[in-house]
């Protein structure tokens, strides 16, 4: 597919998103930008959250991970389900009861201003890195298959990507995103289905024949229980997935901001539980696609692409979709799916970063009303520039599968949030709030040191996603050390 045609496709796609933003962003108010006036239908939020949760990481990186990890990722996904139940019936009632705009406002009411700022800071770092990981993926694909041929530098590719997001979010914010996410999820699922249908047909299989094939057995091992020492043991992965879901969804302003646009708590809970079931199915189908990609590449002699001289399995799906001899249809739906998957999480990340910075750090709700909108727009531009800078840096420092990197980073950045919220919810102690930030920093440093311990030094045990739990536990213990004798009422 010629680069010019790809650019026209991208322009048409974003034209539709800008049109949606025109109708949803007419009010251009902070209430609409931050909360969508809490009028979003729960089923629309649930469907849109699929794309936001999966993102470009799942669309490209999960299929590319199948060769080295097989279907072990499903162990993490099963843990997600339990985590979503905790979110729906433990965290959401708290957020709705307090009527918060930023979920970290709970920490201010429960523990104090320093705890509040500490939680907001760690979300900010987490979301900047997470959004940058996701956008980095789509940027390197566009760079390799489109802009390299046109002689466009990588930093310009990234800037264009962020600018496109800014164009349709700067007015409507979360109100726009609730609806654009629905469209983006639809494109992503269509791309997934079309890819599987066309690849199985090219291989001479029906879908059921593929499921029964001997080739699939090379990749589809799902449960690993042979040795508790290895990183992907079932228990470690399941617990890691559970706490990743709690932290990266339930303690994340980005994901919760969408849920908080639902009319009632009951609607938000229906949204979360329906979403949690569908997300398991979709992740499994992406793993099936990954197996198909490697089978197809092996049968037709397609080499795994290189990026800067390094093998990059993340690029196998785009390589086959665009250059694998499967026709223009797959090229078109792949690009639509890729763009949709990447931007459905990146646009909400930009909005949530703007929201968190305005509410949590600038106290925008306490400022003069006439200045609030202008300040929000200035912050929105600032967040866009920050994402550009971080993504460009990633090109030179990432050397492994993106989803693996993403989950590793989550272990360090979300741990303090887990500890702070757990302490606030499950104890009645107050704390010496001025020391909260020290506890969080020490917990991260200790967790990082633990994560760097050579497996040979601890009997061959490989630390995996349970590092998030360790980090949260260290924060919780640290808060106990700075707790006061008097208790507070948490009812």
């Amino acid at each position: 597919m010629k680069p010019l045609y790809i650019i026209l496709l991208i322009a048409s796609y974003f034209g539709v998103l800008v049109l949606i933003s025109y109708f949803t962003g007419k009010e251009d108010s902070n209430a609409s930008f931050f909360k969508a006036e809490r009028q979003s239908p729960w089923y629309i939020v649930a469907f849109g959250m699929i794309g936001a949760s999966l993102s470009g990481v799942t669309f490209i990186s999960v299929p590319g991970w199948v060769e080295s990890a097989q279907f072990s990722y499903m162990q993490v996904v099963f843990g997600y389900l339990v985590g979503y139940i905790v979110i729906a019936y433990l965290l959401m009632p708290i957020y709705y009861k307090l009527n918060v705009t930023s979920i970290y406002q709970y920490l201010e009411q429960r523990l104090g201003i320093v705890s509040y700022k500490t939680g907001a800071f760690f979300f900010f770092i987490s979301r900047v890195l997470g959004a940058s990981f996701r956008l980095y993926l789509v940027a390197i694909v566009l760079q390799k298959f489109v802009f390299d041929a046109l002689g466009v530098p990588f930093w310009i590719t990234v800037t264009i990507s962020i600018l496109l997001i800014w164009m349709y979010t700067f007015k409507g914010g979360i109100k726009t995103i609730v609806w654009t996410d629905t469209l983006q999820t639809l494109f992503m699922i269509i791309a997934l289905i079309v890819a599987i249908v066309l690849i199985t047909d090219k291989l001479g299989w029906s879908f059921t024949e593929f499921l029964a094939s001997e080739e699939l057995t090379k990749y589809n091992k799902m449960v690993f229980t042979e040795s508790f020492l290895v990183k992907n043991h079932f228990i470690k992965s399941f617990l890691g997935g559970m706490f990743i879901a709690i932290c990266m969804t339930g303690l994340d302003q980005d994901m919760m901001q969408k849920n908080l646009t639902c009319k009632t708590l009951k609607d938000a809970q229906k949204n979360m539980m329906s979403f949690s079931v569908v997300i398991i199915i979709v992740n499994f189908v992406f793993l099936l696609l990954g197996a198909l990609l490697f089978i197809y590449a092996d049968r037709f002699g397609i080499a795994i692409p290189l990026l800067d001289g390094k093998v990059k399995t993340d690029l196998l799906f785009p390589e086959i979709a665009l250059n694998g001899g499967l026709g223009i249809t797959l090229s078109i739906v792949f690009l639509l799916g890729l763009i949709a998957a990447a931007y459905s999480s990146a646009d909400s990340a930009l909005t949530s970063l703007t929201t968190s910075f305005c509410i949590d750090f600038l106290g925008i709700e306490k400022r003069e009303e006439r200045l609030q909108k202008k300040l929000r727009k200035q912050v929105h531009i600032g967040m866009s520039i920050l994402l550009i800078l971080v993504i460009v840096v990633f090109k030179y420092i990432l050397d492994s599968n993106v989803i693996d990197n993403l989950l590793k980073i989550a272990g360090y950045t979300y741990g303090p949030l887990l500890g702070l919220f757990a302490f606030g919810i499950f104890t009645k102690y107050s704390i010496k709030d001025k020391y909260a930030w020290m506890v969080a920093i020490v917990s991260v440093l200790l967790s990082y040191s633990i994560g760097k311990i050579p497996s040979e030094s601890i009997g061959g045990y490989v630390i995996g996603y349970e590092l998030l739990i360790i980090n949260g536990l260290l924060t919780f213990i640290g808060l106990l050390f700075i707790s006061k004798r008097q208790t507070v009422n948490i009812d």
Side-chain angles (χ1 to χ4, degrees):
M1 193 173 181
K2 294 180 180 180
L4 177 60
Y5 296 157
I6 296 175
I7 291 173
L8 290 174
L9 181 65
I10 294 171
S12 301
Y13 176 83
F14 278 98
V16 174
L17 297 188
V18 170
L19 183 63
I20 293 173
S21 72
Y22 171 77
F23 290 106
T24 57
K26 285 184 176 180
E27 293 183 29
D28 193 16
S29 66
N30 282 6
S32 176
F33 189 95
F34 295 143
K35 286 187 175 183
E37 290 108 13
R38 284 204 167 161
Q39 294 297 313
S40 301
W42 70 266
Y43 45 88
I44 296 295
V45 177
F47 189 71
M49 278 183 64
I50 296 169
S53 178
L54 295 173
S55 76
V57 172
T58 303
F59 195 78
I60 297 178
S61 197
V62 167
W65 206 16
V66 166
E67 183 183 43
S68 60
Q70 298 192 51
F71 282 17
S72 62
Y73 183 57
M74 283 305 297
Q75 300 176 136
V76 179
V77 175
F78 291 141
Y80 289 168
L81 177 60
V82 179
Y84 293 141
I85 294 172
V86 172
I87 294 166
Y89 295 101
L90 178 63
L91 293 175
M92 281 185 174
I94 295 173
Y95 301 149
Y96 269 83
K97 180 181 178 181
L98 297 177
N99 193 30
V100 295
T101 300
S102 164
I103 62 173
Y104 310 112
Q105 290 172 310
Y106 162 76
L107 294 176
E108 181 179 22
Q109 297 184 41
R110 173 62 182 86
L111 299 175
I113 187 68
V114 175
S115 298
Y116 167 40
K117 300 297 184 183
T118 300
F121 171 78
F122 275 97
F123 160 73
F124 187 81
I125 298 299
S126 301
R127 186 45 58 185
V128 167
L129 294 176
S132 298
F133 272 127
R134 292 170 170 88
L135 274 172
Y136 165 75
L137 258 182
V138 70
I140 62 172
V141 171
L142 292 175
Q143 186 67 33
K144 182 175 179 63
F145 295 98
V146 181
F147 293 108
D148 274 347
L150 300 175
V152 177
F154 180 73
W155 71 268
I156 292 182
T157 303
V158 174
T159 302
I160 292 172
S161 298
I162 300 295
L163 179 61
L164 290 171
I165 294 174
W166 182 86
M167 283 175 60
Y168 69 87
T169 61
F170 80 102
K171 281 190 175 183
I174 197 67
K175 186 174 182 179
T176 296
I177 286 166
V178 165
W179 292 97
T180 57
D181 274 2
T182 303
L183 179 67
Q184 290 165 328
T185 299
L186 180 64
F187 278 131
M188 185 197 68
I189 292 176
I190 289 173
L192 172 63
I193 294 171
V194 170
I196 289 176
V197 169
L198 291 179
I199 294 174
T200 51
D201 182 66
K202 186 74 172 183
L203 290 169
W205 288 330
S206 66
F207 184 67
T208 53
E209 288 172 335
F210 160 59
L211 294 179
S213 67
E214 184 177 342
E215 287 94 331
L216 179 59
T217 60
K218 299 177 184 178
Y219 301 101
N220 70 351
K221 185 176 180 181
M222 188 180 302
V223 178
F224 292 76
T225 57
E226 291 80 3
S227 172
F228 191 72
L229 299 177
V230 299
K231 179 180 178 180
N232 63 350
H233 187 275
F234 176 79
I235 294 176
K236 295 161 70 174
S237 296
F238 182 87
L239 289 176
M242 172 182 161
F243 281 94
I244 286 168
I246 292 171
C247 293
M248 295 185 70
T249 299
L251 304 182
D252 185 284
Q253 175 66 22
D254 184 353
M255 298 301 286
M256 283 297 97
Q257 190 169 356
K258 295 173 186 175
N259 284 273
L260 293 175
T261 67
C262 293
K263 297 177 182 179
T264 65
L265 170 61
K266 187 176 180 180
D267 279 353
Q269 289 172 328
K270 286 190 291 187
N271 152 48
M272 182 57 64
M273 295 316 301
S274 58
F275 155 75
S276 66
V277 174
V278 176
I279 207 74
I280 292 175
I281 298 170
V282 175
N283 270 295
F284 179 70
V285 177
F286 266 107
L287 290 170
L288 288 175
L289 172 62
L292 266 177
L293 293 171
F294 284 102
I295 293 169
Y296 187 86
D298 182 61
R299 185 175 296 188
F300 292 96
I302 297 174
I304 296 174
L306 301 176
L307 182 67
D308 296 331
K310 300 173 184 176
V311 173
K312 203 76 173 176
T313 57
D314 288 342
L315 295 178
L316 182 59
F317 188 15
E319 177 67 27
I320 290 175
L322 299 175
N323 301 319
L326 290 166
I328 190 67
T329 300
L330 181 57
S331 297
I332 292 173
V333 296
F334 165 77
L335 285 168
L336 285 173
L338 170 66
I339 296 164
Y343 287 106
S344 64
S345 61
D347 54 15
S348 60
L350 181 57
T351 301
S352 65
L353 285 169
T354 301
T355 301
S356 178
F357 199 82
C358 286
I359 301 294
D360 300 327
F361 296 105
L362 300 181
I364 194 171
E365 294 174 318
K366 299 175 183 177
R367 297 185 178 228
E368 291 182 51
E369 190 171 341
R370 64 185 181 86
L371 300 176
Q372 290 182 11
K373 186 190 295 188
K374 180 180 178 181
L375 180 59
R376 185 200 83 212
K377 291 185 175 182
Q378 290 172 339
V379 171
H380 202 53
I381 293 172
M383 294 302 106
S384 302
I385 295 172
L386 178 61
L387 288 178
I388 292 171
L389 295 175
V390 175
I391 295 166
V392 171
V393 170
F394 276 175
K395 184 177 188 291
Y396 301 100
I397 63 174
L398 292 183
D399 59 0
S400 62
N401 182 276
V402 171
I403 192 167
D404 196 33
N405 275 304
L406 180 63
L407 296 180
K408 283 178 184 176
I409 291 295
Y412 298 120
T413 56
Y414 282 93
L417 281 170
L418 177 61
L420 284 164
F421 274 85
F423 189 90
I425 293 170
F426 295 114
T427 79
K428 292 187 177 182
Y429 296 118
S430 59
I431 63 170
K432 298 174 183 176
D433 183 49
K434 64 181 180 180
Y435 300 118
W437 70 273
M438 297 182 189
V439 169
I441 295 295
V442 170
S443 298
V444 171
L445 293 176
L446 287 174
S447 300
Y448 181 79
S449 300
I450 292 170
K452 289 297 181 181
I453 296 174
S455 59
E456 312 86 64
S457 302
I458 48 178
Y461 183 91
V462 179
I463 298 173
Y465 306 131
E466 69 273 24
L467 191 62
L468 172 60
I469 305 172
I470 294 171
N471 196 352
L473 182 60
L474 288 172
T475 302
F476 189 96
I477 293 171
L479 293 173
L480 284 175
F481 276 111
I482 64 169
S483 62
K484 300 177 183 178
R485 290 192 176 185
Q486 65 265 36
T487 59
V488 295
N489 184 6
I490 60 174
D491 295 330

